[in-house]
Amino acid sequence: MDTRKRKKKVLLMGKSGSGKSSMRSIIFSNYVAKDVRRLGATIDVEHSHAKFMGNLTLNLWDCGGQDAFMDSYLNAQRENVFSDAEVLIYVFDIESRSVDQDLETYSQVIKALKEYSPTAHIFCLIHKMDLVQTEHRERIYEERCKLIAARSEGLSLETFASSIWDQTLYKAWAGIVHKMIPNLVVIERFLQAFAKQLSAEEIVLFERSTFLTVTNVVTEYGEDNPHPDRHERISNIFKTYKHTVARNTRTTAASAGFLLFKVQTQRFNCFLARFTENTYIFVVVPPGEAAFNCAVLNTLMARDVFAKKTGVEG
Amino acid sequence: MEHGDGDADAASAAGNSGTTDSLEERLRVASLNAVHNSDIQFPAAFEYMEPPKTNATDIRPYLKTAEDEDRALTSHSSTTPPLSKPSSSQVPSTSGFFEHSSSDAEMDRKLRQNKPRLLLMGQRRSGKSSITSVVFHKMPPQETLFLESTTQIQKDSMRSFMDFQVWDFPGQLDYFDPTFDTTEIFSEIGALVWVIDAQDDYTDSLNRLTTTILNLQTTFPHINVEVFIHKIDSLNEEFRSDIYQDIVQRVGDELSDAGYINPNVSYHLTSIYDYSIFEAFSKVIQKLIPQLDTLENLLNILVNSCGMAKAYLFDIWSKIYVASDTRPIDMEVYEMCSDYIDVIVDITDIYGYNRNHEKVLGEQMQEAESSVTIHDGTMIYLKEMNQYLCLVTVIKNDEAKDKKGLIDYNCHIFQDALNAVFARAWEKDKPNENGEQEEQQPDKTPAQAQAEGQLEG
């Protein structure tokens, strides 16, 4: 694989103040939700790189959303901005008062994208959902999705409801990242076989610094879990605890981490361990102390094979 | 109260009404314990837990259940209008990680008969309701802004390793108004928590505090007065200590002017935005636990034999710690331990559902157990002790971390001792308990010897 291909260009767009930079800071720069108030407005385009799983690097283009900038992206910088994009993430503010105008801008962006990168994946995040009353969320979200789909030029897109204050943010981003991982099939096949070996209920692979779910496999033992949002919740739990640890060991959140985390209860056992350089593996197995300890050791031993088989070096 | 075994409680209450267990009596016993603890090994200290003698003249029978309390209150309400009917407080029924077997129920019942009361008082808008909401109702601190001001006495029952009640008093009430039955309010309380808003002018509050202390001193001298110097989050370090000094000085002066020397008053700097409020409440609750010395002693032994840096015994639900070993408390370690409980509670919430399959891969201990090793090699180890309590320890010693089996074993011994301590305090009529106790003692000694031997080697 040549390096240019590995770097995936991700466009992050949306109206000014819709929360693009806030999201990016929380996911990729270890901000906590309440700290994003300090962020200023993004001027023009801010580039950043996020290394993911060793052989996937995201090249994030955080595009400031003020009208003047938007204008320049769509005209003067059109080719520069929209060519070679792999992913467009468009953020809508649910509280926005000028929905029609937002949709108009969106539709222009889509046209530009269609012109220069017709194969790009499109994700729309309906953001700041926490500001909507819980009982209306579903309905308002559905309505907004329909409006957006109508303006998407027939391109396929995925929509997510998100908020930086709960795990929906992780759900949205995990969905986005999941789409971009190379050789995902190989990884999943490996995990499937491994889960069978361990009689595990479930295996989840998390990215190390962002704690986003890379992928997961569920076996017959784990398929009756009543919590469909469990991966996002686990991401959230560990990331929160990572912040506590960082605060109390006087390190930065980026360098804090876990070597091994184990829980044994009457109903289930689970552990989280460093897997490759950039991933954590989270394994849930049925109770049984000896089997659990074996599972931990086997996982640590499976690291090398995993790297070799899947080509995820580091 | 809203728990199912209310009837059983009431029945047992009726049965036990002869043995009155007043706070005074328990404190006396506790101080006896403390004396004996200093030179005798801990289980022996409990030989002194005699059934308390009743002193019929000045001791009121303990109200055993919430129903009794309600009845007592309603019977009073005609003469004392401000004592409203208690607000129904919803306390989650399962506070541990999972529901427990019926063998726990017996011990549970015994623990339940004892219900110290915490009174929260202070000027209006000093933050009393916010404190109860954050500590006992898990409300996020920023949401307390929307709390309405309290107009009636809010009563919360905490169902935990030991039941206690928290009464939140409206700031504008004058308790020593003759229409109030001060005996009713103050007779059974374990601690009076006086909340002072440190960001405001606190002269009035201090005056009322000293009046209250002086009023109480004559009739209820055993009450612990805990002063929370509250809302310190926005004050800088220097200003905090100034205010602290000032308040301690002024209260001390007032009281000594009135001839009350060595008052039973402690001061805490608190804020709902960090751990200080939990820390302060832990201190308050600890004073009400008669077995505290024994627990600390046990924890010290555990910590020394396992090479731990610090050990806390937490109440799982409220995250108040019941006891810790006697090494100095390190706020950083405390935060990591306290937050770790959240992690485990959340994870067990996600994966602790009832499975359709009965797949089991082997034998395993009953109690939940967890550990995490963080990037700098520090290990945090958590073990469920019973339905309400869990042990959280920090292990930094590299050699100790490898001795997982030993730590497990020692924690298990500690658990037995702990349950014996809590069970024995109430269970006095079972003669065979003695035998069990003695069996545990030899168990413990080899474990320690082994631990010490291995840790040295």
Side-chain angles (χ1 to χ4, degrees):
Chain A
M1 263 191 274
D2 68 308
T3 36
R4 206 186 63 83
K5 262 262 178 264
R6 284 188 192 179
K7 264 194 185 168
K8 304 215 170 186
K9 180 169 165 185
V10 178
L11 289 175
L12 189 53
M13 298 185 122
K15 207 180 72 147
S16 168
S18 55
K20 302 175 290 298
S21 303
S22 303
M23 270 192 216
R24 184 177 58 99
S25 314
I26 290 175
I27 298 278
F28 296 104
S29 315
N30 285 303
Y31 273 58
V32 285
K34 65 171 195 266
D35 285 349
V36 301
R37 288 193 197 119
R38 295 194 216 133
L39 292 170
T42 308
I43 303 300
D44 208 18
V45 182
E46 269 181 24
H47 299 270
S48 57
H49 297 266
K51 209 175 164 204
F52 222 84
M53 294 277 292
N55 52 1
L56 167 66
T57 306
L58 303 183
N59 185 9
L60 275 168
W61 289 49
D62 183 355
C63 307
Q66 290 166 38
D67 291 345
F69 299 138
M70 271 304 193
D71 224 39
S72 114
Y73 306 145
L74 290 167
N75 300 305
Q77 304 186 56
R78 195 174 175 100
E79 184 174 353
N80 178 30
V81 170
F82 289 99
S83 60
D84 289 325
E86 296 264 352
V87 175
L88 167 72
I89 301 170
Y90 202 90
V91 184
F92 288 94
D93 181 349
I94 192 75
E95 285 258 288
S96 170
R97 280 155 203 212
S98 49
V99 180
D100 288 336
Q101 201 198 326
D102 293 354
L103 287 168
E104 185 52 40
T105 323
Y106 170 70
S107 138
Q108 284 178 18
V109 167
I110 292 292
K111 275 183 194 141
L113 190 73
K114 203 175 177 183
E115 191 176 327
Y116 287 97
S117 326
T119 55
H121 297 283
I122 303 167
F123 298 95
C124 290
L125 305 189
I126 321 270
H127 200 47
K128 308 196 188 174
M129 283 304 270
D130 54 296
L131 297 175
V132 181
Q133 281 176 312
T134 327
E135 59 266 34
H136 300 312
R137 272 181 206 170
E138 189 86 355
R139 184 178 52 80
I140 292 180
Y141 170 66
E142 294 291 335
E143 281 173 15
R144 202 55 67 90
C145 284
K146 272 195 205 117
L147 287 178
I148 293 167
R151 305 298 289 267
S152 302
E153 303 279 318
L155 294 175
S156 71
L157 78 161
E158 278 187 60
T159 49
F160 295 98
S162 63
S163 154
I164 57 169
W165 299 99
D166 57 29
Q167 64 265 18
T168 51
L169 183 69
Y170 289 93
K171 183 184 163 138
W173 278 86
I176 293 166
V177 164
H178 189 87
K179 273 273 159 61
M180 281 186 281
I181 290 164
N183 56 33
L184 191 65
V185 187
V186 188
I187 295 176
E188 279 177 357
R189 206 182 300 141
F190 179 91
L191 291 180
Q192 200 83 51
F194 191 53
K196 207 164 175 195
Q197 250 342 288
L198 299 179
S199 314
E201 289 183 0
E202 180 168 34
I203 296 185
V204 192
L205 213 55
F206 291 104
E207 203 278 330
R208 186 181 70 90
S209 62
T210 58
F211 255 106
L212 289 176
T213 315
V214 174
T215 182
N216 74 301
V217 295
V218 181
T219 67
E220 59 200 298
Y221 302 124
E223 61 199 7
D224 51 344
N225 193 311
H227 302 284
D229 61 348
R230 58 187 182 277
H231 301 136
E232 299 88 81
R233 281 170 65 184
I234 295 170
S235 299
N236 213 353
I237 293 166
F238 281 117
K239 205 151 180 192
T240 313
Y241 194 62
K242 192 168 90 167
H243 282 292
T244 306
V245 167
R247 204 167 51 237
N248 292 305
T249 50
R250 301 206 181 80
T251 46
T252 55
S255 55
F258 313 114
L259 299 178
L260 182 62
F261 164 84
K262 298 195 269 189
V263 180
Q264 287 163 269
T265 72
Q266 280 166 280
R267 295 221 177 120
F268 72 97
N269 288 342
C270 70
F271 66 90
L272 175 93
R274 277 294 282 278
F275 202 46
T276 64
E277 185 68 25
N278 290 297
T279 53
Y280 282 112
I281 190 166
F282 181 76
V283 183
V284 186
V285 289
E289 182 140 25
F292 176 69
N293 290 335
C294 285
V296 176
L297 291 176
N298 280 330
T299 308
L300 301 186
M301 280 174 16
R303 284 173 178 166
D304 293 341
V305 188
F306 177 77
K308 222 177 274 171
K309 284 237 168 150
T310 58
V312 179
E313 76 259 15
Chain B
M1 210 187 339
E2 297 74 26
H3 52 97
D5 52 353
D7 287 354
D9 269 3
S12 73
N16 284 347
S17 55
T19 58
T20 314
D21 199 4
S22 79
L23 190 104
E24 221 168 334
E25 197 57 35
R26 284 191 297 120
L27 285 180
R28 193 186 60 77
V29 173
S31 61
L32 251 181
N33 269 342
V35 172
H36 285 287
N37 262 332
S38 54
D39 44 19
I40 301 175
Q41 269 296 309
F42 54 91
F46 277 84
E47 300 305 322
Y48 293 92
M49 290 295 279
E50 294 164 2
K53 294 156 223 122
T54 28
N55 189 352
T57 51
D58 56 11
I59 300 171
R60 289 162 40 89
Y62 232 71
L63 296 175
K64 294 301 194 293
T65 63
E67 286 92 322
D68 287 352
E69 300 243 10
D70 292 353
R71 226 174 296 135
L73 273 176
T74 35
S75 67
H76 260 284
S77 59
S78 53
T79 50
T80 59
L83 274 178
S84 60
K85 284 199 79 167
S87 68
S88 61
S89 58
Q90 280 300 325
V91 181
S93 54
T94 50
S95 46
F97 294 123
F98 296 117
E99 58 274 21
H100 279 246
S101 61
S102 57
S103 65
D104 289 328
E106 173 66 12
M107 185 167 108
D108 201 43
R109 189 186 58 74
K110 271 178 261 146
L111 298 183
R112 217 129 299 290
Q113 294 167 12
N114 214 303
K115 210 186 255 185
R117 189 182 296 165
L118 293 180
L119 287 193
L120 274 168
M121 289 183 168
Q123 297 292 83
R124 46 192 290 276
R125 305 193 49 77
S126 57
K128 300 174 293 299
S129 303
S130 301
I131 291 177
T132 40
S133 307
V134 169
V135 177
F136 301 110
H137 296 276
K138 299 276 153 254
M139 182 185 274
Q142 57 274 13
E143 281 178 30
T144 56
L145 283 175
F146 307 112
L147 283 177
E148 302 271 326
S149 99
T150 314
T151 49
Q152 295 181 326
I153 298 175
Q154 298 284 323
K155 295 174 38 175
D156 282 321
S157 282
M158 290 300 122
R159 210 168 120 68
S160 184
F161 69 99
M162 93 178 177
D163 268 11
F164 56 91
Q165 280 196 323
V166 181
W167 284 25
D168 183 4
F169 268 66
Q172 53 273 24
L173 281 190
D174 181 10
Y175 325 103
F176 294 104
D177 191 281
T179 53
F180 272 93
D181 186 349
T182 46
T183 324
E184 170 64 27
I185 301 175
F186 293 105
S187 61
E188 286 152 23
I189 72 170
L192 169 68
V193 177
W194 192 274
V195 185
I196 295 175
D197 181 352
Q199 294 180 23
D200 203 4
D201 177 20
Y202 44 75
T203 317
D204 279 353
S205 187
L206 289 190
N207 288 340
R208 286 189 55 178
L209 170 62
T210 45
T211 333
T212 313
I213 295 176
L214 290 172
N215 276 334
L216 287 181
Q217 180 239 334
T218 45
T219 29
F220 309 103
H222 59 267
I223 291 175
N224 297 330
V225 180
E226 311 278 349
V227 181
F228 282 16
I229 303 167
H230 196 52
K231 306 193 195 176
I232 51 149
D233 40 287
S234 63
L235 306 178
N236 67 32
E237 206 64 49
E238 208 176 312
F239 200 38
R240 281 179 202 181
S241 56
D242 282 354
I243 288 186
Y244 182 85
Q245 288 299 339
D246 185 43
I247 290 178
V248 174
Q249 185 74 38
R250 278 161 75 173
V251 174
D253 286 354
E254 285 279 329
L255 291 179
S256 62
D257 284 354
Y260 187 24
I261 314 291
N262 286 334
N264 195 7
V265 184
S266 346
Y267 303 86
H268 309 264
L269 288 167
T270 60
S271 158
I272 51 170
Y273 292 97
D274 58 25
Y275 293 80
S276 56
I277 191 69
F278 289 95
E279 169 84 24
F281 254 105
S282 301
K283 289 271 156 57
V284 172
I285 301 284
Q286 282 173 22
K287 283 190 194 161
L288 303 179
I289 303 174
Q291 306 93 334
L292 180 65
D293 289 311
T294 315
L295 294 180
E296 283 184 345
N297 209 342
L298 281 170
L299 282 165
N300 276 340
I301 295 172
L302 182 74
V303 162
N304 290 333
S305 42
C306 295
M308 294 163 175
K310 186 80 193 162
Y312 291 99
L313 191 60
F314 271 100
D315 176 43
I316 297 169
W317 190 71
S318 62
K319 293 208 294 173
I320 284 174
Y321 69 94
V322 175
S324 77
D325 65 301
T326 46
R327 295 182 194 195
I329 284 173
D330 177 351
M331 251 345 226
E332 296 174 351
V333 165
Y334 173 71
E335 262 189 66
M336 285 205 283
C337 291
S338 161
D339 276 5
Y340 193 58
I341 296 175
D342 283 341
V343 172
I344 306 303
V345 168
D346 290 346
I347 298 266
T348 42
D349 180 44
I350 296 175
Y351 286 102
Y353 61 93
N354 265 318
R355 280 150 174 81
N356 294 333
H357 62 83
E358 295 279 304
K359 178 82 178 171
V360 171
L361 299 176
E363 286 182 22
Q364 191 164 309
M365 280 181 293
Q366 280 268 306
E367 296 81 16
E369 168 189 292
S370 173
S371 66
V372 65
T373 316
I374 60 171
H375 59 96
D376 66 356
T378 309
M379 181 162 123
I380 297 170
Y381 175 85
L382 175 146
K383 194 171 165 75
E384 187 184 9
M385 289 286 120
N386 58 34
Q387 199 170 352
Y388 305 110
L389 297 175
C390 71
L391 176 77
V392 188
T393 66
V394 178
I395 302 171
K396 290 193 168 158
N397 182 334
D398 279 326
E399 283 183 46
K401 269 180 275 183
D402 301 335
K403 311 255 185 329
K404 179 72 183 0
L406 189 68
I407 292 173
D408 277 353
Y409 183 74
N410 281 342
C411 288
H412 197 73
I413 299 290
F414 173 77
Q415 183 186 6
D416 287 346
L418 179 76
N419 287 339
V421 164
F422 273 119
R424 267 187 82 75
W426 286 273
E427 189 179 62
K428 293 139 200 142
D429 44 2
K430 278 197 180 172
N432 64 344
E433 192 69 15
N434 252 332
E436 275 176 40
Q437 191 83 62
E438 258 135 51
E439 266 171 36
Q440 276 166 6
Q441 186 58 18
D443 255 9
K444 179 134 194 136
T445 327
Q448 284 162 19
Q450 195 188 0
E452 276 150 22
Q454 292 212 12
L455 285 173
E456 281 160 19

